[in-house]
mmCIF file of all heavy atoms in Angstrom:
data_model
loop_
_atom_site.group_PDB
_atom_site.id
_atom_site.type_symbol
_atom_site.label_atom_id
_atom_site.label_comp_id
_atom_site.label_asym_id
_atom_site.label_seq_id
_atom_site.Cartn_x
_atom_site.Cartn_y
_atom_site.Cartn_z
ATOM 1 N N ALA F 49 39.060 54.736 13.262
ATOM 2 C CA ALA F 49 38.753 55.634 14.369
ATOM 3 C C ALA F 49 39.356 57.016 14.111
ATOM 4 O O ALA F 49 40.355 57.165 13.395
ATOM 5 C CB ALA F 49 39.289 55.048 15.673
ATOM 6 N N ASP F 50 38.709 58.018 14.656
ATOM 7 C CA ASP F 50 39.219 59.380 14.536
ATOM 8 C C ASP F 50 40.598 59.464 15.192
ATOM 9 O O ASP F 50 40.782 59.023 16.338
ATOM 10 C CB ASP F 50 38.249 60.353 15.198
ATOM 11 C CG ASP F 50 38.593 61.806 14.892
ATOM 12 O OD1 ASP F 50 39.198 62.065 13.836
ATOM 13 O OD2 ASP F 50 38.239 62.677 15.710
ATOM 14 N N GLY F 51 41.605 60.003 14.456
ATOM 15 C CA GLY F 51 42.963 60.144 14.969
ATOM 16 C C GLY F 51 43.842 58.937 14.718
ATOM 17 O O GLY F 51 44.996 58.901 15.183
ATOM 18 N N ALA F 52 43.333 57.936 14.010
ATOM 19 C CA ALA F 52 44.128 56.737 13.758
ATOM 20 C C ALA F 52 45.302 57.049 12.843
ATOM 21 O O ALA F 52 45.253 57.947 11.990
ATOM 22 C CB ALA F 52 43.255 55.656 13.146
ATOM 23 N N VAL F 53 46.416 56.313 13.007
ATOM 24 C CA VAL F 53 47.588 56.365 12.119
ATOM 25 C C VAL F 53 47.430 55.245 11.112
ATOM 26 O O VAL F 53 47.282 54.072 11.486
ATOM 27 C CB VAL F 53 48.889 56.213 12.910
ATOM 28 C CG1 VAL F 53 50.074 56.250 11.990
ATOM 29 C CG2 VAL F 53 48.991 57.316 13.950
ATOM 30 N N VAL F 54 47.454 55.566 9.802
ATOM 31 C CA VAL F 54 47.169 54.580 8.762
ATOM 32 C C VAL F 54 48.262 54.567 7.723
ATOM 33 O O VAL F 54 49.034 55.542 7.576
ATOM 34 C CB VAL F 54 45.821 54.876 8.090
ATOM 35 C CG1 VAL F 54 44.688 54.822 9.104
ATOM 36 C CG2 VAL F 54 45.814 56.245 7.417
ATOM 37 N N SER F 55 48.301 53.477 6.974
ATOM 38 C CA SER F 55 49.212 53.340 5.841
ATOM 39 C C SER F 55 48.687 52.207 4.976
ATOM 40 O O SER F 55 47.851 51.399 5.390
ATOM 41 C CB SER F 55 50.630 53.045 6.316
ATOM 42 O OG SER F 55 50.681 51.781 6.943
ATOM 43 N N GLY F 56 49.168 52.088 3.770
ATOM 44 C CA GLY F 56 48.755 51.035 2.862
ATOM 45 C C GLY F 56 47.285 51.155 2.504
ATOM 46 O O GLY F 56 46.760 52.247 2.319
ATOM 47 N N THR F 57 46.635 50.032 2.390
ATOM 48 C CA THR F 57 45.202 49.992 2.055
ATOM 49 C C THR F 57 44.388 49.941 3.338
ATOM 50 O O THR F 57 44.587 49.076 4.188
ATOM 51 C CB THR F 57 44.878 48.776 1.193
ATOM 52 O OG1 THR F 57 45.624 48.847 -0.024
ATOM 53 C CG2 THR F 57 43.379 48.746 0.860
ATOM 54 N N VAL F 58 43.412 50.853 3.460
ATOM 55 C CA VAL F 58 42.632 51.006 4.680
ATOM 56 C C VAL F 58 41.148 50.805 4.339
ATOM 57 O O VAL F 58 40.669 51.327 3.327
ATOM 58 C CB VAL F 58 42.849 52.392 5.316
ATOM 59 C CG1 VAL F 58 42.007 52.546 6.575
ATOM 60 C CG2 VAL F 58 44.313 52.629 5.599
ATOM 61 N N LEU F 59 40.436 50.040 5.172
ATOM 62 C CA LEU F 59 39.005 49.844 4.997
ATOM 63 C C LEU F 59 38.258 51.010 5.629
ATOM 64 O O LEU F 59 38.444 51.313 6.799
ATOM 65 C CB LEU F 59 38.538 48.532 5.639
ATOM 66 C CG LEU F 59 37.031 48.245 5.522
ATOM 67 C CD1 LEU F 59 36.640 47.990 4.065
ATOM 68 C CD2 LEU F 59 36.649 47.061 6.408
ATOM 69 N N LEU F 60 37.435 51.679 4.793
ATOM 70 C CA LEU F 60 36.590 52.764 5.280
ATOM 71 C C LEU F 60 35.157 52.223 5.382
ATOM 72 O O LEU F 60 34.615 51.667 4.410
ATOM 73 C CB LEU F 60 36.639 53.971 4.342
ATOM 74 C CG LEU F 60 38.028 54.535 4.001
ATOM 75 C CD1 LEU F 60 37.892 55.776 3.133
ATOM 76 C CD2 LEU F 60 38.805 54.849 5.270
ATOM 77 N N ARG F 61 34.508 52.365 6.536
ATOM 78 C CA ARG F 61 33.154 51.827 6.746
ATOM 79 C C ARG F 61 32.328 52.825 7.540
ATOM 80 O O ARG F 61 32.800 53.383 8.512
ATOM 81 C CB ARG F 61 33.192 50.493 7.490
ATOM 82 C CG ARG F 61 31.809 49.970 7.869
ATOM 83 C CD ARG F 61 31.874 48.679 8.631
ATOM 84 N NE ARG F 61 32.237 47.568 7.771
ATOM 85 C CZ ARG F 61 32.291 46.302 8.171
ATOM 86 N NH1 ARG F 61 32.023 46.028 9.445
ATOM 87 N NH2 ARG F 61 32.619 45.343 7.340
ATOM 88 N N VAL F 62 31.049 53.022 7.089
ATOM 89 C CA VAL F 62 30.132 53.902 7.800
ATOM 90 C C VAL F 62 28.785 53.182 7.971
ATOM 91 O O VAL F 62 28.512 52.180 7.294
ATOM 92 C CB VAL F 62 29.907 55.228 7.053
ATOM 93 C CG1 VAL F 62 31.201 56.004 6.911
ATOM 94 C CG2 VAL F 62 29.251 54.987 5.687
ATOM 95 N N GLU F 63 27.959 53.707 8.864
ATOM 96 C CA GLU F 63 26.581 53.274 9.010
ATOM 97 C C GLU F 63 25.690 54.387 8.514
ATOM 98 O O GLU F 63 25.860 55.545 8.908
ATOM 99 C CB GLU F 63 26.265 52.957 10.474
ATOM 100 C CG GLU F 63 24.824 52.488 10.691
ATOM 101 C CD GLU F 63 24.534 52.217 12.152
ATOM 102 O OE1 GLU F 63 24.702 53.136 12.980
ATOM 103 O OE2 GLU F 63 24.145 51.084 12.469
ATOM 104 N N ALA F 64 24.740 54.090 7.595
ATOM 105 C CA ALA F 64 23.848 55.092 7.020
ATOM 106 C C ALA F 64 22.413 54.626 7.174
ATOM 107 O O ALA F 64 22.094 53.455 6.892
ATOM 108 C CB ALA F 64 24.172 55.318 5.546
ATOM 109 N N THR F 65 21.523 55.537 7.627
ATOM 110 C CA THR F 65 20.106 55.189 7.827
ATOM 111 C C THR F 65 19.226 56.256 7.215
ATOM 112 O O THR F 65 19.626 57.415 7.090
ATOM 113 C CB THR F 65 19.780 55.058 9.321
ATOM 114 O OG1 THR F 65 20.089 56.289 9.994
ATOM 115 C CG2 THR F 65 20.571 53.927 9.969
ATOM 116 N N ASP F 66 17.988 55.842 6.825
ATOM 117 C CA ASP F 66 17.033 56.778 6.248
ATOM 118 C C ASP F 66 15.643 56.172 6.403
ATOM 119 O O ASP F 66 15.480 54.937 6.384
ATOM 120 C CB ASP F 66 17.335 57.025 4.764
ATOM 121 C CG ASP F 66 16.455 58.120 4.189
ATOM 122 O OD1 ASP F 66 16.668 59.297 4.529
ATOM 123 O OD2 ASP F 66 15.538 57.789 3.404
ATOM 124 N N ASN F 67 14.633 57.040 6.563
ATOM 125 C CA ASN F 67 13.280 56.528 6.769
ATOM 126 C C ASN F 67 12.700 55.912 5.511
ATOM 127 O O ASN F 67 11.744 55.121 5.582
ATOM 128 C CB ASN F 67 12.362 57.627 7.286
ATOM 129 C CG ASN F 67 12.237 58.785 6.293
ATOM 130 O OD1 ASN F 67 13.120 59.007 5.469
ATOM 131 N ND2 ASN F 67 11.144 59.534 6.385
ATOM 132 N N VAL F 68 13.200 56.253 4.326
ATOM 133 C CA VAL F 68 12.737 55.658 3.073
ATOM 134 C C VAL F 68 13.738 54.648 2.553
ATOM 135 O O VAL F 68 13.404 53.536 2.162
ATOM 136 C CB VAL F 68 12.466 56.737 2.014
ATOM 137 C CG1 VAL F 68 12.113 56.108 0.683
ATOM 138 C CG2 VAL F 68 11.333 57.642 2.490
ATOM 139 N N GLY F 69 15.009 55.005 2.581
ATOM 140 C CA GLY F 69 16.026 54.089 2.090
ATOM 141 C C GLY F 69 17.228 54.835 1.537
ATOM 142 O O GLY F 69 17.101 55.883 0.882
ATOM 143 N N VAL F 70 18.429 54.341 1.832
ATOM 144 C CA VAL F 70 19.663 54.959 1.346
ATOM 145 C C VAL F 70 19.962 54.455 -0.057
ATOM 146 O O VAL F 70 19.957 53.237 -0.293
ATOM 147 C CB VAL F 70 20.834 54.653 2.306
ATOM 148 C CG1 VAL F 70 22.140 55.215 1.739
ATOM 149 C CG2 VAL F 70 20.538 55.226 3.691
ATOM 150 N N ALA F 71 20.207 55.383 -0.977
ATOM 151 C CA ALA F 71 20.538 54.990 -2.356
ATOM 152 C C ALA F 71 22.034 54.731 -2.503
ATOM 153 O O ALA F 71 22.431 53.754 -3.153
ATOM 154 C CB ALA F 71 20.105 56.077 -3.342
ATOM 155 N N LYS F 72 22.886 55.568 -1.854
ATOM 156 C CA LYS F 72 24.338 55.363 -1.960
ATOM 157 C C LYS F 72 25.027 56.170 -0.876
ATOM 158 O O LYS F 72 24.442 57.081 -0.280
ATOM 159 C CB LYS F 72 24.861 55.773 -3.331
ATOM 160 C CG LYS F 72 24.690 57.269 -3.635
ATOM 161 C CD LYS F 72 25.239 57.610 -5.019
ATOM 162 C CE LYS F 72 25.028 59.113 -5.330
ATOM 163 N NZ LYS F 72 25.585 59.478 -6.640
ATOM 164 N N VAL F 73 26.290 55.831 -0.611
ATOM 165 C CA VAL F 73 27.160 56.590 0.284
ATOM 166 C C VAL F 73 28.438 56.919 -0.497
ATOM 167 O O VAL F 73 29.058 56.028 -1.108
ATOM 168 C CB VAL F 73 27.494 55.802 1.559
ATOM 169 C CG1 VAL F 73 28.521 56.554 2.383
ATOM 170 C CG2 VAL F 73 26.230 55.547 2.392
ATOM 171 N N GLU F 74 28.826 58.215 -0.467
ATOM 172 C CA GLU F 74 30.033 58.674 -1.167
ATOM 173 C C GLU F 74 31.138 58.941 -0.150
ATOM 174 O O GLU F 74 30.874 59.478 0.931
ATOM 175 C CB GLU F 74 29.731 59.947 -1.960
ATOM 176 C CG GLU F 74 28.668 59.734 -3.041
ATOM 177 C CD GLU F 74 28.260 61.035 -3.732
ATOM 178 O OE1 GLU F 74 28.275 62.085 -3.055
ATOM 179 O OE2 GLU F 74 27.944 60.996 -4.931
ATOM 180 N N PHE F 75 32.373 58.553 -0.473
ATOM 181 C CA PHE F 75 33.526 58.727 0.401
ATOM 182 C C PHE F 75 34.486 59.735 -0.245
ATOM 183 O O PHE F 75 34.734 59.689 -1.463
ATOM 184 C CB PHE F 75 34.236 57.390 0.628
ATOM 185 C CG PHE F 75 33.401 56.373 1.388
ATOM 186 C CD1 PHE F 75 32.528 55.515 0.722
ATOM 187 C CD2 PHE F 75 33.480 56.287 2.769
ATOM 188 C CE1 PHE F 75 31.768 54.596 1.404
ATOM 189 C CE2 PHE F 75 32.726 55.362 3.464
ATOM 190 C CZ PHE F 75 31.869 54.508 2.788
ATOM 191 N N PHE F 76 35.072 60.658 0.594
ATOM 192 C CA PHE F 76 36.006 61.690 0.127
ATOM 193 C C PHE F 76 37.236 61.678 1.021
ATOM 194 O O PHE F 76 37.121 61.470 2.247
ATOM 195 C CB PHE F 76 35.362 63.081 0.168
ATOM 196 C CG PHE F 76 34.155 63.219 -0.724
ATOM 197 C CD1 PHE F 76 32.899 62.829 -0.285
ATOM 198 C CD2 PHE F 76 34.294 63.743 -2.008
ATOM 199 C CE1 PHE F 76 31.796 62.957 -1.091
ATOM 200 C CE2 PHE F 76 33.188 63.882 -2.817
ATOM 201 C CZ PHE F 76 31.936 63.499 -2.372
ATOM 202 N N ALA F 77 38.386 61.880 0.402
ATOM 203 C CA ALA F 77 39.631 62.184 1.132
ATOM 204 C C ALA F 77 39.961 63.632 0.799
ATOM 205 O O ALA F 77 40.354 63.947 -0.336
ATOM 206 C CB ALA F 77 40.768 61.251 0.721
ATOM 207 N N GLY F 78 39.801 64.515 1.794
ATOM 208 C CA GLY F 78 39.865 65.942 1.499
ATOM 209 C C GLY F 78 38.681 66.308 0.647
ATOM 210 O O GLY F 78 37.540 66.005 0.975
ATOM 211 N N SER F 79 38.954 66.932 -0.527
ATOM 212 C CA SER F 79 37.866 67.287 -1.436
ATOM 213 C C SER F 79 37.753 66.309 -2.592
ATOM 214 O O SER F 79 36.948 66.516 -3.497
ATOM 215 C CB SER F 79 38.103 68.706 -1.979
ATOM 216 O OG SER F 79 39.344 68.765 -2.669
ATOM 217 N N THR F 80 38.583 65.231 -2.560
ATOM 218 C CA THR F 80 38.606 64.285 -3.680
ATOM 219 C C THR F 80 37.723 63.081 -3.364
ATOM 220 O O THR F 80 37.864 62.441 -2.305
ATOM 221 C CB THR F 80 40.051 63.803 -3.946
ATOM 222 O OG1 THR F 80 40.857 64.942 -4.208
ATOM 223 C CG2 THR F 80 40.081 62.846 -5.124
ATOM 224 N N LYS F 81 36.787 62.790 -4.270
ATOM 225 C CA LYS F 81 35.937 61.610 -4.102
ATOM 226 C C LYS F 81 36.761 60.369 -4.402
ATOM 227 O O LYS F 81 37.347 60.236 -5.477
ATOM 228 C CB LYS F 81 34.720 61.687 -5.022
ATOM 229 C CG LYS F 81 33.763 60.499 -4.880
ATOM 230 C CD LYS F 81 32.547 60.675 -5.783
ATOM 231 C CE LYS F 81 31.601 59.495 -5.657
ATOM 232 N NZ LYS F 81 30.409 59.649 -6.509
ATOM 233 N N ILE F 82 36.771 59.446 -3.437
ATOM 234 C CA ILE F 82 37.613 58.246 -3.624
ATOM 235 C C ILE F 82 36.768 56.984 -3.818
ATOM 236 O O ILE F 82 37.329 55.881 -3.992
ATOM 237 C CB ILE F 82 38.547 58.061 -2.413
ATOM 238 C CG1 ILE F 82 37.717 57.994 -1.114
ATOM 239 C CG2 ILE F 82 39.568 59.182 -2.337
ATOM 240 C CD1 ILE F 82 38.571 57.744 0.112
#
Side-chain angles (χ1 to χ4, degrees):
D50 190 27
V53 179
V54 299
S55 66
T57 299
V58 179
L59 179 67
L60 306 183
R61 174 182 287 184
V62 298
E63 180 181 57
T65 58
D66 187 72
N67 61 336
V68 175
V70 176
K72 64 180 179 178
V73 174
E74 298 174 328
F75 295 88
F76 298 85
S79 59
T80 302
K81 181 178 179 179
I82 56 177

